[in-house]
């Protein structure tokens, strides 16, 4: 409630991007963090790991933001593999979120588990990832009609609501929790979070 949400787009209408576009977006966030009071960033994106985390340009950019006082929350990836955490989720300095499922029994927690599609660690360097799970399976989301295709399962929530699954949905939930934590204590640091 009452959140100030700033959307910085680095992907096109087809959901495609490049390292340079993501880096431009992260640099824009860094340069404008004081102007717009940016304290938490949700990165629901992932690239295949191709180097040590410290050599990856996107990871370097998120570590720079973290050092500047911005909490970074990233999705773990949806490949369902051990050692499958994607960039930037493989960075040890940020919060990486995996997806949990309630197995379509919302009032019975006994069958809740890690969703089969959710990537998990350890990372190549041996870091335990993700640090946290949030529900990311069959999440009702309002989508623009142009995105409603056979790929989306219609939700019982109403018109233009669909059920979507992924670690991106789980990361968004955790990002919201982090925003609430910051609103409760404006002096909390990323490391405190």
């Amino acid at each position: 409630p009452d959140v100030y949400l700033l959307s910085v787009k680095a992907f096109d209408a087809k959901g495609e991007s490049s390292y340079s576009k993501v880096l431009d977006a992260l640099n824009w966030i860094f340069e404008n963090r004081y102007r717009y009071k940016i304290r938490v960033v949700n990165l629901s994106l992932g690239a295949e790991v191709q180097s040590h985390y410290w050599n990856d340009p996107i990871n370097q950019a998120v570590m720079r933001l973290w050092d500047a006082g911005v909490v970074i929350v990233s999705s773990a990836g949806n490949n369902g593999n051990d050692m499958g955490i994607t960039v930037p989720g493989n960075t040890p300095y940020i919060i990486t979120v995996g997806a949990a499922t309630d197995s379509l029994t919302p009032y019975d927690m006994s069958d809740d588990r890690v969703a089969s599609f959710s990537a998990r660690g350890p990372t190549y360097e041996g870091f335990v990832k993700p640090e946290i799970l949030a529900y990311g399976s069959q999440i009702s989301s309002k989508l623009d009609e142009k995105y409603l295709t056979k790929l989306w399962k219609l939700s019982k929530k109403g018109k233009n609501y669909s059920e979507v699954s992924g670690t991106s949905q789980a990361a968004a939930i955790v990002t919201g929790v982090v925003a609430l934590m910051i609103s409760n204590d404006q002096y909390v640091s990323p490391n405190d979070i």
Side-chain angles (χ1 to χ4, degrees):
D2 302 321
V3 68
Y4 177 71
L5 182 64
L6 184 63
S7 180
V8 179
K9 291 194 165 226
F11 288 75
D12 64 20
K14 295 179 183 178
E16 297 174 356
S17 190
S18 66
Y19 256 61
S20 64
K21 289 177 184 176
V22 172
L23 290 169
D24 286 345
L26 292 170
N27 186 56
W28 187 92
I29 292 167
F30 182 83
E31 295 297 326
N32 290 281
R33 68 190 186 283
Y34 295 123
R35 179 179 183 190
Y36 294 105
K37 300 177 184 168
I38 300 170
R39 296 290 312 279
V40 59
V41 172
N42 175 39
L43 294 175
S44 289
L45 56 90
E48 185 179 335
V49 175
Q50 297 184 33
S51 67
H52 290 290
Y53 78 85
W54 58 83
N55 287 330
D56 186 274
I58 290 176
N59 287 345
Q60 291 173 356
V62 299
M63 289 187 290
R64 179 176 162 208
L65 281 164
W66 188 273
D67 287 340
V70 179
V71 178
I72 306 295
V73 179
S74 177
S75 53
N78 297 328
N79 59 27
N81 296 332
D82 291 338
M83 293 189 74
I85 302 293
T86 56
V87 171
N90 67 328
T91 308
Y93 302 103
I94 69 171
I95 301 168
T96 304
V97 184
T101 180
D102 65 5
S103 300
L104 299 176
T105 57
Y107 302 106
D108 177 8
M109 294 180 71
S110 68
D111 60 355
D112 293 6
R113 59 178 171 73
V114 177
S116 60
F117 58 81
S118 186
R120 46 203 168 270
T123 66
Y124 178 76
E125 292 83 13
F127 295 103
V128 175
K129 290 281 186 168
E131 286 86 4
I132 191 167
L133 297 175
Y135 290 105
S137 189
Q138 296 98 20
I139 303 296
S140 288
S141 178
K142 191 162 188 171
L143 299 174
D144 190 295
E145 286 182 1
K146 65 183 173 185
Y147 298 115
L148 294 176
T149 67
K150 292 184 214 174
L151 299 174
W152 305 105
K153 180 181 174 187
L154 292 179
S155 171
K156 298 175 187 174
K157 297 289 184 189
K159 184 179 179 181
N160 296 342
Y161 278 85
S162 296
E163 288 185 4
V164 294
S165 297
T167 58
S168 293
Q169 285 68 37
I173 291 168
V174 172
T175 303
V177 171
V178 170
L180 290 171
M181 293 170 73
I182 291 169
S183 72
N184 187 57
D185 180 359
Q186 63 181 334
Y187 300 106
V188 68
S189 75
N191 288 338
D192 294 333
I193 299 287

